């Protein structure tokens, strides 16, 4: 299969080509880069929905329900489930696959699981590249599920058009704990497992947190939606809230997308530059020796970096003089 025909087949929405293309971009291979180049102009149409939250909050069940609801309206869906393959949350993958089986035979749905490990170029970028392929394949909405624990996940959510933070009753303390990271990026809060005791209390503690922030006139204030993903209760309302957010923020969408482009460019540039330095500037074993010298206090990190920078970009040292 030539890359040209692969790109064309992705644009036609051919599921086998999409699967192959995703593997290529995930591996950060040259063929993946070439594919992104070829399809990029035809992307930007899908709406990217990030769903994050603590392990076991019901994100997959919710994504599954949202998918069913979106399909009702005839729109197509791509799903990216970032598998928590860490030792702490391992074992969820099979459950996800089984749960999502009901959509497996639906050509309007494409599901891809991604491992959190082994992404040289960063998980967040791999995720946004996979979403880009699904976008190119014509999926109307792309749902991205991640466990909200670390910076990687916050970055992934930043690549979405809308971020849904899923919490469950009894997570009052978690609300505080999550506050610093994931809470800030929520456009919509979901209190899932609303069938359980304490859903109102959790909603109230989110509300209390929101009341500490000021929202300007006309600014979007994250609403709190209660759901029961297992029965589907509240899912219609959640989807309506997503669409309401999309309408309310349509005016600022170009700005959001520009911010996302900036973030991607900066990340890509930093990574490529670092790779260039490691491959082309540093001699074999030099980095290790430098680290040892720093640890032994023979040199300081700034001088070490200045030296490397001077060799990587001669104009840098000229300016420094
Ligand atoms: N009682 C109740 N249980 C739910 C609800 N939603 C999901 N669950 C259950 O919670 C468990 C975890 O659901 P998942 O959808 O796998 O949660 P997740 O957030 O995707 O989990 P990870 O991907 O492992 O972080 C499953 O046993 C679900 O059946 C709900 O609304 N009420
Ligand atoms: Mg899950």
């Amino acid at each position: 299969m030539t890359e040209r025909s692969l790109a064309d087949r992705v644009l036609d929405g051919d599921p086998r080509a999409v699967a192959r293309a995703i593997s290529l971009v995930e591996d950060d291979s040259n063929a993946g880069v070439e594919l992104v180049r070829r399809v990029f102009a035809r992307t930007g149409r899908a709406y990217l929905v990030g769903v994050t939250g603590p392990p076991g909050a019901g994100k997959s069940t919710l994504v599954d329900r949202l998918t069913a609801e979106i399909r009702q309206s005839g729109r197509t869906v791509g799903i990216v489930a970032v598998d928590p393959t860490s030792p702490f949350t391992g074992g969820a993958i099979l459950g996800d696959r089984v749960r999502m089986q009901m959509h497996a035979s639906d050509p309007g749905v494409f599901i891809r699981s991604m491992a959190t490990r082994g992404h040289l170029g960063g998980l967040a970028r791999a995720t946004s590249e996979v979403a880009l392929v699904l976008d190119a394949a014509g999926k109307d909405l792309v749902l991205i599920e991640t466990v909200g624990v670390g910076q990687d996940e916050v970055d992934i959510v930043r690549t979405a058009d809308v971020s849904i933070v899923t919490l469950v009753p009894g997570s009052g303390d978690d609300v505080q704990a999550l506050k610093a990271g994931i809470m800030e990026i929520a456009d919509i809060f979901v209190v899932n497992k609303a069938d359980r005791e304490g859903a109102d209390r959790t909603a109230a503690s989110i509300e209390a947190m929101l009341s500490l922030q000021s929202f300007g006139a006309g600014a979007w204030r994250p609403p709190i939606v209660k759901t029961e993903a297992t029965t589907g209760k509240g899912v219609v309302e959640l989807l309506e809230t997503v669409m309401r957010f999309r309408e309310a923020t349509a005016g600022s969408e170009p700005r959001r997308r520009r911010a996302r482009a900036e973030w991607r460019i900066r990340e890509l540039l930093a990574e490529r530059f670092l790779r260039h330095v490691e491959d082309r500037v540093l001699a074999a074993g030099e980095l290790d020796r430098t680290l040892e010298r720093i640890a032994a206090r023979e040199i300081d990190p700034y001088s070490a970096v200045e030296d490397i920078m001077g060799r990587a970009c001669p104009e840098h040292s000229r300016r420094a003089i």
Side-chain angles (χ1 to χ4, degrees):
M1 200 189 318
T2 68
E3 292 323 319
R4 163 132 202 90
S5 76
L6 180 65
D8 287 342
R9 287 172 58 209
V10 166
L11 293 169
D12 286 344
D14 172 351
R16 281 191 50 215
V18 171
R20 168 105 182 97
I22 288 176
S23 299
L24 292 177
V25 297
E26 265 196 294
D27 292 347
D28 197 20
S29 64
N30 288 338
V33 170
E34 189 51 33
L35 184 99
V36 169
R37 276 198 194 120
R38 286 184 190 278
V39 301
F40 194 77
R42 302 270 297 274
T43 60
R45 283 174 292 192
Y47 198 65
L48 274 47
V49 181
V51 178
T52 191
K59 300 176 295 296
S60 299
T61 317
L62 208 54
V63 163
D64 185 52
R65 289 283 178 177
L66 280 170
T67 302
E69 207 51 55
I70 295 163
R71 291 298 291 139
Q72 290 278 320
S73 66
R75 284 170 296 179
T76 54
V77 182
I79 300 171
V80 187
V82 181
D83 281 335
T85 44
S86 77
F88 309 109
T89 52
I93 305 158
L94 190 63
D96 281 0
R97 298 247 164 85
V98 170
R99 205 170 301 110
M100 306 264 182
Q101 273 309 317
M102 70 183 261
H103 302 296
S105 58
D106 179 354
V109 178
F110 188 98
I111 305 167
R112 178 66 166 221
S113 289
M114 287 178 53
T116 46
R117 287 210 179 137
H119 287 280
L120 283 173
L123 182 65
R125 208 189 73 236
T127 308
S128 61
E129 240 61 273
V130 171
L132 191 83
V133 171
L134 293 169
D135 183 353
K139 297 291 175 268
D140 297 312
L141 284 103
V142 175
L143 311 181
I144 305 167
E145 177 196 336
T146 53
V147 179
V149 281
Q151 186 58 42
D152 252 353
E153 288 72 23
V154 173
D155 287 347
I156 289 167
V157 176
R158 270 200 193 110
T159 72
D161 291 305
V162 59
S163 304
I164 302 173
V165 171
T166 309
L167 299 168
V168 290
S171 55
D173 295 341
D174 302 357
V175 171
Q176 292 303 317
L178 286 166
K179 203 163 147 185
I182 213 95
M183 299 300 268
E184 287 169 10
I185 52 169
D187 299 307
I188 298 168
F189 285 101
V190 163
V191 178
N192 188 43
K193 308 199 183 182
D195 51 311
R196 291 201 181 158
E197 156 83 44
D200 288 328
R201 258 199 323 277
T202 304
S205 60
I206 299 168
E207 188 54 53
M209 190 201 71
L210 285 172
S211 67
L212 299 175
Q213 298 172 35
S214 56
F215 296 91
W220 176 264
R221 188 181 198 274
I224 304 164
V225 182
K226 280 187 268 179
T227 60
E228 277 178 44
T230 33
T231 62
K233 205 169 157 189
V235 172
V236 171
E237 196 197 337
L238 175 59
L239 191 58
E240 282 168 3
T241 308
V242 168
M243 293 310 150
R244 205 151 51 75
F245 177 84
R246 189 177 190 176
E247 271 167 42
T249 57
S252 60
E253 201 167 289
R255 189 161 45 79
R256 283 170 77 102
R257 291 196 169 194
R258 193 183 175 285
R260 207 157 75 202
E262 178 179 356
W263 176 78
R264 283 181 72 177
I265 281 291
R266 283 181 186 277
E267 210 209 33
L268 200 55
L269 199 54
E271 184 226 310
R272 290 289 197 262
F273 183 70
L274 201 56
R275 198 189 292 176
H276 167 76
V277 167
E278 286 178 347
D279 294 352
R280 306 280 167 86
V281 180
L282 297 174
E286 184 183 341
L287 187 60
D288 281 337
R289 283 194 300 277
T290 305
L291 299 180
E292 275 155 29
R293 289 183 65 206
I294 293 172
R297 295 295 187 273
E298 288 170 26
I299 51 162
D300 67 279
Y302 288 95
S303 305
V305 167
E306 276 304 306
D307 172 59
I308 296 167
M309 283 293 290
R311 283 185 285 150
C313 346
E315 58 280 12
H316 174 81
S317 43
R318 271 204 297 281
R319 208 177 47 223
I321 292 165

